[in-house]
């Protein structure tokens, strides 16, 4: 089994121009891989207007308890149906460390933290929010799609000192049977009540991304990448 804590994550990388000064790191959901969100890049006018580096990492392959122990790409194990309660904290922390490493790589390559957006879908979104909010230096922004906040009860103790300066885009489908919209809404509400800058939107869709959501993300990204 691969362990995300002791090796660099494999990844897909796309650049929309030469010498990009902005980067978007996008984490896929359970059972997918880094190729899952590649098709979104040509749909983002915000990325076509300037050189942007997109980094789509592959999660490690690990057994997933709720799927009968089947091995698949996962940022952490899902131990039971109460996904916001039955949490694999060791796996979550290992993936946070690995994603922190990805962000550090972009910084070392000359992209400032304020020009890096961290995004994710489903459990990839859970890692994106938890990782990004804990950074000591704020990023350009965070995107969480069809997801929820892990370690929500510990907020804001584990958040970075300037995390409230980061804009957050959180989107969800109202017909989501995998991650109930109530979990996403409760996460957005908790973040807002703690003083974080949250844009919360929903669409009549299942556990997915729709064209209208992509358009909303594009408009949000335009402000973050300018």
């Amino acid at each position: 089994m691969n362990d995300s804590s002791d090796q660099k994550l494999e990844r897909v990388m796309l650049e929309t121009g030469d010498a990009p000064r902005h980067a978007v790191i996008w984490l896929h959901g359970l059972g997918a891989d880094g190729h899952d969100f590649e098709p979104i890049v040509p749909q983002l006018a915000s990325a076509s207007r300037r050189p942007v580096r997109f980094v789509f990492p592959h999660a490690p392959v690990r057994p997933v308890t709720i799927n009968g122990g089947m091995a698949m790409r996962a940022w952490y194990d899902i131990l039971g149906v109460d996904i916001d309660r039955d949490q694999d904290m060791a796996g979550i922390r290992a993936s946070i460390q690995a994603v922190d490493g990805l962000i550090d790589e972009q910084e070392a390559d000359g992209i400032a933290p304020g020009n890096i957006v961290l995004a994710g879908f489903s459990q990839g979104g859970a890692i994106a929010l938890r990782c990004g909010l804990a950074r000591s230096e704020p990023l350009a922004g965070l995107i969480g799609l069809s997801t929820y906040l892990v370690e929500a009860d510990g907020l804001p103790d584990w958040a970075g000192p300037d995390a409230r300066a980061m804009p957050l885009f959180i989107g969800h489908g109202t017909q989501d049977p995998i991650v109930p919209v109530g979990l996403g809404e409760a996460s957005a509400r908790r973040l807002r009540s703690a003083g974080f800058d949250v844009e919360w939107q929903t669409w009549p869709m299942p556990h997915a991304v729709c064209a209208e959501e992509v358009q909303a993300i594009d408009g949000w990204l335009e402000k973050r990448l300018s």
Side-chain angles (χ1 to χ4, degrees):
M1 180 179 69
N2 294 329
D3 186 342
S4 58
S5 65
D6 61 6
Q7 64 180 17
K8 290 185 177 181
L9 294 171
E10 300 176 8
R11 78 290 305 261
V12 178
M13 291 183 62
L14 297 174
E15 294 184 354
T16 61
D18 296 331
R21 294 177 53 250
H22 300 86
V24 178
I25 299 171
W26 204 307
L27 313 183
H28 62 78
L30 177 67
D33 62 20
H35 294 287
D36 199 34
F37 279 91
E38 270 188 280
I40 205 171
V41 176
Q43 302 176 52
L44 299 173
S46 55
S48 69
R49 295 189 182 102
R50 56 186 63 82
V52 180
R53 175 180 297 152
F54 284 85
V55 183
F56 300 105
H58 303 301
V61 174
R62 69 179 85 229
V64 176
T65 301
I66 201 170
N67 288 343
M70 183 183 301
M72 61 187 64
R73 293 199 178 275
W75 297 107
Y76 50 90
D77 191 11
I78 302 292
L79 303 175
V81 293
D82 293 327
I83 56 175
D84 61 329
R85 298 286 178 189
D86 299 327
Q87 297 183 353
D88 165 26
M89 292 313 304
I92 287 169
R93 291 195 173 98
S95 285
I96 290 170
Q97 181 180 344
V99 174
D100 270 329
L102 279 179
I103 297 170
D104 292 343
E105 285 179 40
Q106 298 310 307
E107 291 187 38
D109 202 34
I111 299 181
N115 287 343
I116 298 172
V117 170
L118 182 58
F121 177 81
S122 196
Q123 66 164 212
I127 294 296
L129 292 177
R130 179 61 179 80
C131 177
L133 287 170
R135 298 282 295 184
S136 58
E137 191 169 1
L139 303 176
L142 305 176
I143 298 173
L145 308 177
S146 304
T147 191
Y148 58 98
L149 187 65
V150 298
E151 292 191 281
D153 291 342
L155 188 75
D157 294 342
W158 50 257
D162 298 313
R164 289 174 179 82
M166 270 189 297
L168 279 65
F169 180 98
I170 303 181
H172 217 111
T174 57
Q175 301 161 13
D176 192 332
I178 307 298
V179 181
V181 66
L183 284 183
E185 186 173 16
S187 297
R189 188 168 55 247
R190 183 184 288 259
L191 285 160
R192 279 177 174 165
S193 67
F196 293 88
D197 177 13
V198 179
E199 179 175 335
W200 163 255
Q201 294 199 44
T202 61
W203 290 268
M205 63 180 179
H207 196 60
V209 175
C210 65
E212 292 80 8
E213 185 175 38
V214 173
Q215 185 177 13
I217 292 168
D218 193 22
W220 185 90
L221 276 174
E222 179 64 37
K223 299 173 185 175
R224 310 287 86 81
L225 301 177
S226 59

